[in-house]
Amino acid sequence: MVAFVPSFVCLFLFCVGVVRDRRRVSNAVLLGLSTVFAVIALLLQVASERAQFGHDLVVVLLTLAGVGVVTLAWFLITNGITMVRKEGRSPANLLSLAAGIALVALLALLITALVLHTHTLLVGAATAVALAGYVAFLFLCFLVYGGLYGRLRIRRRADYVVVLGSGLIGGTTVPPLLAGRLDRARKEHARLSRKGRRPVLLTSGGQGPDEKLPESHAMADYLVTQGFPADLIAREDRSTTTDENLTFSKALMERAKPDYRCVIVTNNYHVFRAAITARRTGVRGHVIGAPTAAYFWPSAMIREFVALLVAYRRTNAALFLLVVLSGLFIWWLGWPSPGAVT
């Protein structure tokens, strides 16, 4: 049982973090660490009790991991091609294709290192695998906890339902993605109203350089055409980013009702990052998501993850540098020598 102590400690800290504020990135990492430590402890226990079975289990897990990486690479490349065909060749739409190609390149580097058996290639491949493992661990933490956060029960007392903008078609028209957010906001507003409250629906979004009016105004017009009462709509029309959406919306809500509570509506792929941003900007509310087209979801999730890496760039840069320096140190020591690897 001693081997499971790190897992239990991380799980306890995770539970404490969720109770204190479920919008923390640390919650996702602690849940991931708890799982990793539990798997390692289980493997150690099996290996100590039944050595051959433990060895076979490790081989099976490594085989499944290899098959999983190949399958994932194929899926990402296929999805990337679909994204380019349906959404165009913008950098954001190329993310799943780029991720799939990167996995193929990593596999090619690893196979080449094992075949050629040279010291530099072995260390380089090991360093690349370590970096990829770190990114994969964080992405899985983000993916699993983000999905869990979206399903956690939230407080239903709210004075505002805030809808985050996402751009307009032709500078004036609400696109399907944004319409989904607005429709979800209407449903949430109706749910709150059935409980005797009349929250204000706050549309948030400024005017981009290629837009003829602020996004919030187009969003409000869409709601009115759908039969939503105009007197229950407020507009925040200065923001151009998610941070500004929430910062400026917070100022409007605090001015009208200092002790406000809100529900923030975005798309499901954006929920966890929006929740993290809400916490960092001091907004008192949780985030719910509207459905997203299946083909759009993988690239959108990768984009959200990259944005989160950038938001915590100092920590991630330090850990990346640590892994690279470790690889360089091992290479300088000359370990492992090609002849020592079989």
Side-chain angles (χ1 to χ4, degrees):
M1 288 296 293
V2 175
F4 286 92
V5 170
S7 177
F8 291 145
V9 170
C10 289
L11 183 60
F12 172 76
L13 294 175
F14 163 75
C15 293
V16 171
V18 170
V19 171
R20 291 182 61 188
D21 193 334
R22 67 189 68 174
R23 302 173 298 175
R24 295 172 178 267
V25 175
S26 58
N27 294 339
V29 176
L30 286 168
L31 180 61
L33 287 174
S34 177
T35 304
V36 170
F37 287 144
V39 171
I40 292 174
L42 183 61
L43 289 175
L44 290 174
Q45 183 174 345
V46 170
S48 64
E49 295 176 356
R50 301 176 61 183
Q52 185 57 45
F53 178 74
H55 177 269
D56 294 341
L57 181 60
V58 170
V59 171
V60 169
L61 291 176
L62 290 175
T63 302
L64 289 175
V67 173
V69 169
V70 173
T71 304
L72 180 60
W74 173 82
F75 168 77
L76 289 172
I77 291 173
T78 302
N79 177 257
I81 295 172
T82 302
M83 279 291 294
V84 170
R85 287 175 177 172
K86 292 189 175 185
E87 301 290 337
R89 299 182 179 180
S90 69
N93 295 335
L94 294 173
L95 286 174
S96 60
L97 180 62
I101 293 173
L103 282 178
V104 172
L106 179 65
L107 287 173
L109 174 62
L110 186 58
I111 292 171
T112 302
L114 292 174
V115 171
L116 297 182
H117 220 55
T118 64
H119 171 65
T120 300
L121 271 177
L122 287 171
V123 174
T127 303
V129 168
L131 289 173
Y134 171 73
V135 173
F137 169 75
L138 290 181
F139 183 72
L140 285 174
C141 291
F142 170 72
L143 196 65
V144 172
Y145 186 73
L148 179 62
Y149 173 88
R151 288 166 176 76
L152 290 175
R153 186 175 180 180
I154 65 174
R155 295 179 61 175
R156 292 299 180 185
R157 183 184 81 79
D159 307 293
Y160 290 88
V161 178
V162 182
V163 190
L164 306 183
S166 67
L168 303 174
I169 295 177
T172 58
T173 306
V174 170
L177 191 75
L178 185 53
R181 297 184 185 186
L182 292 165
D183 292 339
R184 178 65 196 275
R186 287 172 53 218
K187 292 179 181 178
E188 185 64 20
H189 190 279
R191 188 199 309 272
L192 292 165
S193 298
R194 286 195 295 268
K195 296 185 178 183
R197 308 189 69 85
R198 280 178 63 81
V200 174
L201 202 155
L202 176 58
T203 57
S204 178
Q207 183 172 349
D210 59 343
E211 295 173 337
K212 298 178 182 179
L213 76 166
E215 293 171 14
S216 58
H217 292 205
M219 294 159 70
D221 293 342
Y222 173 89
L223 289 168
V224 172
T225 60
Q226 297 297 312
F228 192 86
D231 62 316
L232 290 179
I233 300 175
R235 300 171 178 83
E236 180 285 300
D237 57 9
R238 296 186 296 151
S239 58
T240 57
T241 65
T242 300
D243 287 65
E244 290 182 353
N245 283 143
L246 294 169
T247 299
F248 297 155
S249 295
K250 174 190 173 186
L252 290 175
M253 291 185 289
E254 284 184 336
R255 189 178 306 126
K257 189 177 177 61
D259 62 342
Y260 77 92
R261 292 283 176 179
C262 71
V263 175
I264 302 161
V265 183
T266 184
N267 283 89
N268 52 12
Y269 65 84
H270 189 226
V271 164
F272 187 39
R273 187 166 72 88
I276 294 168
T277 305
R279 177 179 176 273
R280 295 175 69 181
T281 53
V283 175
R284 291 193 294 274
H286 286 284
V287 187
I288 60 175
T292 306
Y295 77 89
F296 190 85
W297 189 84
S299 284
M301 286 300 296
I302 295 172
R303 183 181 66 199
E304 293 299 300
F305 175 66
V306 171
L308 202 59
L309 288 179
V310 172
Y312 293 88
R313 53 188 173 276
R314 292 183 180 178
T315 301
N316 289 307
L319 291 172
F320 265 67
L321 183 61
L322 179 62
V323 172
V324 171
L325 290 177
S326 298
L328 290 173
F329 182 67
I330 291 172
W331 174 81
W332 179 71
L333 289 177
W335 183 89
S337 60
V341 180
T342 59

